[in-house]
Amino acid sequence: TLVDYLLKDSRTNTSKVVKEGTPGSKRSELHYEVLASDGENTLLRIRLLTGRHHQIRVQFAHAGYPLMGDTKYGREAVAGRYCPVALCSCRIAFIHPVTGKEMEFTIRPKGNVFTQMA
C-alpha cells in the first residue's frame, strides 16, 4: 500500500508528493500486488483507492520505482528512443450515464509480458 499527499500544478501539468497538511494537497492511496518480475522489470496489479492526477506515476516514482517509459516523473529516454509509459488499465467499471447499466471491460496480458514491454 502506498499513501501520500499529492499537490497538482496545473501550470506544468504535473503533480508531486508533499507533506500532509500542505494547502491544496490531497490524500492518495493505492494497493499493489507483484504479479511477475524478471529482475529488472516488474508487472504489478494496482488498485486505486483514490483517483488523483498522475497518481500511479507520481507515487511509484516517489517510492523509487518509476514506470518504464515515464520520462516526466522518473526515467530518461533509453538510448534516445521513445518508449510509451508502460501503464495499462486492465479493468474499468462504471455505471453508464444514460442507461444506468453497469459496464465492465477487462483485458489480460498474453505470453511473456516482459518480451512485449522490451
Side-chain angles (χ1 to χ4, degrees):
T1 299
L2 296 178
V3 177
D4 294 295
Y5 289 82
L6 302 186
L7 182 63
K8 181 179 177 181
D9 183 340
S10 296
R11 240 180 352 95
T12 60
N13 190 34
T14 59
S15 289
K16 64 182 177 180
V17 173
V18 295
K19 291 182 179 182
E20 182 178 358
T22 299
S25 67
K26 295 183 178 179
R27 186 177 188 279
S28 304
E29 182 175 357
L30 60 80
H31 296 305
Y32 68 93
E33 174 186 0
V34 175
L35 300 178
S37 181
D38 67 0
E40 184 176 332
N41 299 297
T42 303
L43 178 66
L44 303 174
R45 175 180 292 131
I46 300 169
R47 185 170 149 246
L48 290 171
L49 277 75
T50 55
R52 307 295 182 215
H53 180 256
H54 296 172
Q55 180 178 343
I56 296 169
R57 296 166 67 187
V58 174
Q59 287 192 274
F60 276 94
H62 179 75
Y65 303 104
L67 276 62
M68 177 185 289
D70 190 356
T71 57
K72 182 174 264 192
Y73 290 106
R75 296 189 172 167
E76 298 293 323
V78 177
R81 295 182 338 191
Y82 170 75
C83 175
V85 174
L87 183 62
C88 177
S89 176
C90 65
R91 179 183 174 275
I92 187 168
F94 57 90
I95 304 298
H96 192 282
V98 175
T99 66
K101 180 180 173 186
E102 184 175 331
M103 309 292 292
E104 181 176 334
F105 302 91
T106 60
I107 61 170
R108 304 237 185 273
K110 292 183 189 174
N112 183 340
V113 294
F114 299 115
T115 302
Q116 293 173 8
M117 293 189 313

